[in-house]
Structures are given as structure tokens and as C-alpha cells.
């Protein structure tokens, strides 16, 4: 079968992948579509250290082909969105409703794939850049068949992370102000999360002026090309500032733009050893800096909610998909993303 493999030095689109059958508590999914996210490329450039060879991809949707023993919530033929959270469901954090903090979901990659007899690692317990993948049952979330699978794929990461950061982590309230630095796939979902939450002033910041149209479509009330102009819109600062780029200077800018009792939420992935600075004295005005893993999400609950909001016309999914590419055009999809031509490019099988 076809897939995208990083061998430690280069990315290859191959057609000789194999994947094992699902075991107890697992699901085999035929992947129809998978979104290309910066996190996939962060494995390639070393920002996210990961063993290789590895099958890339972590934002996908498809159709269940088979289930292992003990799986009852999905069945062959069901349409599913795939999450990256292979959480155990039984530890203290899972029991508290914090599956993103499950220690068994981090740092223990499996090897369900092989190529020419050589095992390949699975990225983010997902590897949706393959025609078929095996995931834990908890990662397969049934969705209505009315949602196009190319759109549904984006719920598995971009929507969970961006909208979830607003609703679950920051808990943005009605009438509050929000600044979103960076309007890529994550930033656009933060914008629509802020709109859904009822924020009244939503400022999008991106150096690319071509991003203004999409930003306003998703919920921005203002668009700026520099953080320097934010104070002209919000003279006393913002209630919430989301950094969606992963640049240390922008982390500092996010903190500096806070009003009293404001929160800076860090979503962009910086280099592992990058350091950011801020003025500690300013934090005594009840300001906070919040990390956020995967939108502090609960995928089985949250994806169902987002599917309902999509059906009601409140959550935009189709509009996130700028271009679809056959998996063989992976290099073109990467180039388009790096040049800022797409909100989200989606690979199809």
C-alpha cells in the first residue's frame, strides 16, 4: 500500500508498505484523507525528535475496515476521524478527564508497519499518511457520513487543537478580547473557537496580508500584519493572546500584549531547547502563561461536539481545505504550505 515515510534523511512516497491486523482494542482504518500539518514536517527537520524510519501523518479520517476483539463503539463501514491520543483510559489523568496528560500516550511509539521486512514506527500513534493504519479504539471517533472525509480529517488535529485551546484550556468567555498570532491551520481554528465562545474583539495577526480574507471568514474582527499595532485596537491589552507560530520573540510579544488578568496560551511548537524571556514583574497583575497540549481535548467528546457544530453551520470545516493532493504529490503539498498558499492542504488516497 502507499504511504509517506521519513527514513531519517529524506521523505519518500512509497507503495510497498504493509500494516498488521488489528489486535485487541484496536481498529484498522482505510484512510481516505489526511491533513498536512507543520508537526509532520517538524519530525523531518528535527524540531520534534522521533525515531525513524517512520510513517508520517497524524490528522486523518477514513472508514473502519476491521476491529479487534473488545471493540464495540465502531464497526466496519463506520466513518471515523482519527485522534493522536492513544490514551490508556485508566490512569489518574484519564480518570480526571485529562487524556492529553496520559503518560502512556507519550514517548512509546509502536511499529505496526513494515516495509521489505523492516519495521517502521508510527507517528503520534496515528500515521495517517498511509492507505491503512491501525489505531487504538479510543482514537477512532465515529462521525456522521454527511461530513466529507477531507474536511473531517482536520478535526483530528487542527480543530481539536485550535478550538479546544479556546474552549477547554483558555475558557474564553462572552464579551472577552482575543489576539491570535499566526493564522495558519491552528490559528484559523483558534479564531473560530473565539467566535463560537462569544468573544467580541478578535484580532488576527499575520505577516502575510493575503491571510486577511480567511481570518475574517473564520471570526477575526480585526486583521493586522504586526503585533506592534495591537495596542491601537486594544489599548489596555487583551484578555487572551494565542501564539500559534512557535517563535520565541512572539512568545514574548504574547505576554507583553496581555491586559490585567490576561492569559498567554502557547500553541506554536518551538525548537526543543529554545528559550523565551518575559518580565516577571508584569505577571503580578494576575497574568498567566499557559501551555496547551492538543487543545486539552477529550477527542471522543469533543469531535462529536464539533461535528454537531458543523452540522449547525457554526463550525467551518470545508473552508479549511484549500487544496487536496493525491499522496504522490506530497512534495507539492509541502511547498504550498511553506509558501503560505493554503490554510490546510489535504492528502487523499
Amino acid at each position: 500500500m502507499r504511504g509517506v515515510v521519513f527514513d531519517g534523511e529524506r521523505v519518500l512516497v512509497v507503495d510497498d508498505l504493509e500494516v498488521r491486523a488489528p489486535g485487541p482494542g484496536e481498529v484498522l482504518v482505510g484512510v481516505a484523507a489526511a491533513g498536512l500539518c507543520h508537526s509532520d514536517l517538524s519530525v523531518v527537520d528535527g524540531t520534534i525528535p522521533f525515531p525513524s524510519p517512520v510513517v508520517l501523518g497524524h490528522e486523518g479520517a477514513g472508514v473502519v475496515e476491521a476491529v479487534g476483539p473488545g471493540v464495540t463503539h465502531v464497526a466496519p463501514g463506520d466513518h471515523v476521524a482519527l485522534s493522536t491520543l492513544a490514551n490508556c483510559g485508566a490512569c489518574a489523568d484519564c480518570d480526571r478527564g485529562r487524556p492529553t496528560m496520559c503518560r502512556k500516550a507519550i514517548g512509546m511509539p509502536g511499529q505496526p508497519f513494515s516495509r521489505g521486512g523492516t519495521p517502521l514506527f508510527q507517528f503520534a500513534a496515528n500515521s495517517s499518511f498511509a492507505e491503512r493504519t491501525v489505531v487504538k479504539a479510543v482514537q477512532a471517533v465515529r462521525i456522521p457520513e454527511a461530513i466529507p472525509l477531507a474536511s473531517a480529517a482536520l478535526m483530528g488535529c487542527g480543530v481539536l487543537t485550535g478550538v479546544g485551546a479556546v474552549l477547554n484550556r483558555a475558557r474564553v468567555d462572552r464579551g472577552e478580547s482575543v489576539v491570535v498570532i499566526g493564522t495558519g491551520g491552528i490559528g484559523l481554528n483558534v479564531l473560530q473557537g473565539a467566535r463560537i465562545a462569544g468573544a467580541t474583539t478578535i484580532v488576527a495577526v499575520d505577516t502575510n496580508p493575503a491571510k486577511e480574507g480567511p481570518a475574517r471568514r473564520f471570526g477575526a474582527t480585526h486583521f493586522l500584519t504586526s503585533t506592534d499595532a495591537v495596542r491601537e485596537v486594544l489599548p489596555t491589552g487583551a484578555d487572551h493572546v494565542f501564539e500559534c507560530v512557535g517563535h520565541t520573540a512572539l512568545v514574548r510579544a504574547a505576554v507583553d500584549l496581555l491586559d490585567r488578568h490576561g492569559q498567554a496560551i502557547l500553541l506554536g511548537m518551538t525548537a526543543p531547547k529554545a528559550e523565551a524571556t518575559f518580565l516577571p514583574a508584569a505577571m503580578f497583575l494576575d497574568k498567566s502563561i499557559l501551555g496547551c497540549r492538543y487543545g486539552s481535548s477529550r477527542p471522543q467528546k469533543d469531535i462529536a461536539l464539533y461535528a454537531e457544530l458543523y452540522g449547525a453551520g457554526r463550525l467551518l470545516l470545508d473552508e479549511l481545505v484549500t487544496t487536496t493532493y493525491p499522496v504522490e504529490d506530497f512534495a507539492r503539498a509541502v511547498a504550498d504550505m511553506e509558501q503560505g498558499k493554503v490554510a490546510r492542504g489535504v492528502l487523499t488516497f
Side-chain angles (χ1 to χ4, degrees):
M1 65 180 184
R2 294 170 295 164
V4 180
V5 174
F6 175 57
D7 66 4
E9 295 183 358
R10 55 192 179 135
V11 177
L12 307 169
V13 179
V14 303
D15 60 5
D16 57 352
L17 278 181
E18 295 182 0
V19 66
R20 62 169 173 79
E26 293 181 332
V27 177
L28 175 68
V29 177
V31 179
L36 177 60
C37 175
H38 279 285
S39 294
D40 300 303
L41 302 186
S42 293
V43 174
V44 178
D45 66 21
T47 301
I48 297 178
F50 206 89
S52 61
V54 56
V55 180
L56 297 174
H58 67 285
E59 185 182 68
V63 181
V64 175
E65 294 190 358
V67 299
V71 178
T72 59
H73 76 289
V74 293
D78 284 346
H79 286 209
V80 292
L82 301 177
S83 84
T84 70
L85 276 184
N87 59 295
C88 72
C91 68
D93 284 304
C94 286
D95 190 54
R96 291 172 182 151
R98 301 187 305 206
T100 58
M101 295 297 105
C102 176
R103 298 180 195 277
K104 294 185 178 181
I106 305 173
M108 293 180 285
Q111 293 178 300
F113 299 96
S114 62
R115 184 179 179 226
T118 300
L120 282 75
F121 287 100
Q122 185 173 38
F123 178 52
N126 187 307
S127 289
S128 55
F129 290 172
E131 286 188 79
R132 294 178 185 83
T133 190
V134 170
V135 298
K136 283 191 174 183
V138 71
Q139 295 176 254
V141 185
R142 189 153 50 107
I143 58 173
E145 292 187 15
I147 303 178
L149 289 171
S151 301
L154 306 186
M155 289 198 288
C157 177
V159 176
L160 277 177
T161 299
V163 179
V166 174
L167 302 183
N168 300 329
R169 186 65 168 130
R171 298 184 182 275
V172 173
D173 203 356
R174 292 167 295 179
E176 292 187 324
S177 58
V178 170
V179 174
V180 181
I181 303 174
T183 60
I186 299 300
L188 289 177
N189 280 296
V190 174
L191 288 170
Q192 71 171 332
R195 170 177 51 77
I196 291 168
T200 51
T201 303
I202 305 173
V203 182
V205 181
D206 200 293
T207 56
N208 184 353
K211 298 286 190 73
E212 180 172 3
R216 289 188 179 276
R217 187 177 310 124
F218 277 77
T221 59
H222 300 74
F223 182 88
L224 306 172
T225 56
S226 170
T227 56
D228 295 337
V230 170
R231 291 282 181 175
E232 297 176 14
V233 180
L234 297 167
T236 63
D239 296 311
H240 310 273
V241 181
F242 294 82
E243 200 282 338
C244 304
V245 179
H247 192 290
T248 55
L250 295 176
V251 171
R252 170 61 184 267
V255 175
D256 289 344
L257 288 172
L258 295 176
D259 197 355
R260 300 183 179 196
H261 208 275
Q263 298 181 136
I265 302 90
L266 309 185
L267 297 179
M269 178 64 70
T270 62
K273 295 185 179 180
E275 296 183 356
T277 63
F278 65 94
L279 300 176
M283 306 307 288
F284 288 94
L285 292 172
D286 283 1
K287 299 179 184 180
S288 304
I289 302 173
L290 304 180
C292 184
R293 172 175 163 78
Y294 203 40
S296 301
S297 60
R298 299 149 298 176
Q300 287 288 339
K301 178 178 181 180
D302 290 351
I303 289 178
L305 169 63
Y306 300 153
E308 184 176 340
L309 291 173
Y310 170 83
R314 298 179 61 195
L315 182 83
L316 304 181
L317 288 179
D318 304 334
E319 294 82 357
L320 285 168
V321 182
T322 308
T323 308
T324 59
Y325 308 83
V327 67
E328 291 81 5
D329 283 350
F330 177 78
R332 182 165 66 92
V334 170
D336 286 351
M337 182 178 73
E338 290 179 336
Q339 293 170 24
K341 293 181 177 180
V342 296
R344 210 52 148 201
V346 176
L347 303 179
T348 58
F349 293 91

